[in-house]
Amino acid sequence: MTGLLSYAAYNPGLGRVNDHTPGKGLLGFYLFTWPTHPYWLYRVTQGVHVTLGVALIPVLLAKLWSVIPKLFEWPPVRTPAHAVERLSLLLLVGGAIFEFVTGLLNIQLDYIFPGSFYTLHFYGAWVFIAAFIVHVGLRIGRMRRALRSRSLSAELRTDTAHTEPEPPDPYGLVAAVPAAPTMSRRGALGFAGAGSLALLMVTAGQSIGGPWRRTALLAPHNRNPGRGPNGFQVNKTAAAVGVTAAAIGPAWRLHVHGSGPALTFTREQLLKMPEHRAALPIACVEGWSTDDQHWSGLRLRDLAVLAGVPHAGSVMVQSVQPGGPFSNVLLAGNQIHDPRSLLALHVNGAPLSINHGYPARIIVPANPGVNNTKWVGALTFRT
């Protein structure tokens, strides 16, 4: 569910500029335009998505360990019905492992997989969801009988000395000649639970922020980002994406397009316009987020009025970044007209640093960090 919310936060209905999943068809449905209230919404939903994904790793491993005999049964296919079951199992296990591995690589900024993470993770999720639905449909009766066959409280009271191997079953889940138990069921549950708790403790701080950020040992952005007004986390630096000093130097101009002739502004001209402020965090798809930063600049809705499109339904934001995914994004009408949506020129009372988007960047409530475009060069408002 949090993955679907993350997809919706990119406002894919605005067009292919935002949505990097070609040929998605019915899989690309979305139910609503992503809201700007509450302003911390994406920080919470994506923080839960990533933190929960990491914390569930021991649960996934425990589940795979418990069904090892079934994964390697021989012959692999006996009947057409068995073939369907095995295929669903392959897609279920493969899809789960694929989602966890690509997700972990992404939050550690290790883009070693071929193609776009966004596309791979999206389609991998739907493969897993389809296999999960089929698998549950095939196993619901067996699952209910198994859960009713024993008491959870009784199992949790049973120590290793009184734990007995499972009797043989007709489904091949139990090993043919099981060894004597070396761990109780409560021990196995406790081991997985303790692992999940440990991962939760060393991950959640990157989303919670404040003093807890120091506990986020697994977060790639746990590094000290420096001191001063611009001393908060950065996803990609200007050097990393090829933004040159010439592109953001004295010759930089902001081009604003709308219903009339294009408008061009220097940074000095923008600084003379009425200034507005907003306290907003930055939250990224990798799960990390900042505390509220104090931004100041021009309201997007005021720029829309200047462009002759006071009731703009969308705006194309173009960065001077030379290419790359999300160098151009579309913002929805509700994002434009929120009074906290800014073309920011300052943060925490100081000019933006180069790595935070100087000379101008977008900041919008509840917006994924990658859509808060840095190094903005042009705005095109549309009805």
Side-chain angles (χ1 to χ4, degrees), residues 160-219:
T160 305
H162 295 89
T163 297
E164 298 179 354
E166 291 284 345
D169 72 313
Y171 311 114
L173 268 177
V174 178
V177 185
T182 57
M183 179 183 290
S184 65
R185 293 182 182 87
R186 72 180 182 189
L189 290 172
F191 186 75
S196 289
L197 180 61
L199 289 177
L200 176 68
M201 293 175 63
V202 297
T203 304
Q206 69 171 345
S207 299
I208 297 173
W212 291 100
R213 195 175 301 281
R214 292 192 293 270
T215 68
L217 303 180
L218 297 184

Side-chain angles (χ1 to χ4, degrees), residues 329-341:
V329 302
L330 278 164
L331 300 179
N334 66 316
Q335 295 174 316
I336 296 170
H337 299 292
D338 191 296
R340 297 164 295 181
S341 297

Side-chain angles (χ1 to χ4, degrees), residues 30-54:
Y30 71 105
L31 301 177
F32 54 88
T33 299
W34 189 250
T36 58
H37 301 275
Y39 72 91
W40 40 258
L41 178 63
Y42 188 74
R43 184 180 185 187
V44 171
T45 58
Q46 193 62 15
V48 170
H49 182 69
V50 170
T51 302
L52 187 60
V54 173

Side-chain angles (χ1 to χ4, degrees), residues 97-287:
I97 292 175
F98 180 84
E99 287 298 280
F100 274 84
V101 170
T102 54
L104 285 173
L105 289 172
N106 179 68
I107 64 177
Q108 293 300 320
L109 308 181
D110 290 329
Y111 301 110
I112 61 175
F113 32 75
S116 166
F117 161 79
Y118 187 89
T119 303
L120 293 172
H121 206 65
F122 176 86
Y123 286 113
W126 281 117
V127 168
F128 168 76
I129 290 170
F132 179 78
I133 292 172
V134 171
H135 190 72
V136 169
L138 293 172
R139 292 287 183 269
I140 188 69
R142 190 181 305 173
M143 179 180 71
R144 293 178 63 184
R145 289 192 298 271
L147 290 174
R148 290 176 174 177
S149 69
R150 60 180 75 234
S151 165
L152 176 62
S153 59
E155 293 300 329
L156 293 178
R157 291 194 300 268
T158 304
D159 58 18
T160 305
H162 295 89
T163 297
E164 298 179 354
E166 291 284 345
D169 72 313
Y171 311 114
L173 268 177
V174 178
V177 185
T182 57
M183 179 183 290
S184 65
R185 293 182 182 87
R186 72 180 182 189
L189 290 172
F191 186 75
S196 289
L197 180 61
L199 289 177
L200 176 68
M201 293 175 63
V202 297
T203 304
Q206 69 171 345
S207 299
I208 297 173
W212 291 100
R213 195 175 301 281
R214 292 192 293 270
T215 68
L217 303 180
L218 297 184
H221 292 279
N222 187 48
R223 301 184 300 271
N224 184 352
R227 299 180 180 273
N230 282 271
F232 54 96
Q233 283 76 8
V234 173
N235 193 344
K236 293 182 179 180
T237 65
V241 298
V243 173
T244 63
I248 56 176
W252 174 88
R253 298 291 185 271
L254 174 70
H255 303 282
V256 179
H257 305 273
S259 62
L263 305 174
T264 302
F265 301 96
T266 65
R267 194 171 192 275
E268 288 69 26
Q269 289 172 320
L270 296 175
L271 290 171
K272 293 177 181 178
M273 295 181 181
E275 183 183 62
H276 298 274
R277 294 177 174 83
L280 300 172
I282 292 178
C284 274
V285 69
E286 294 93 352

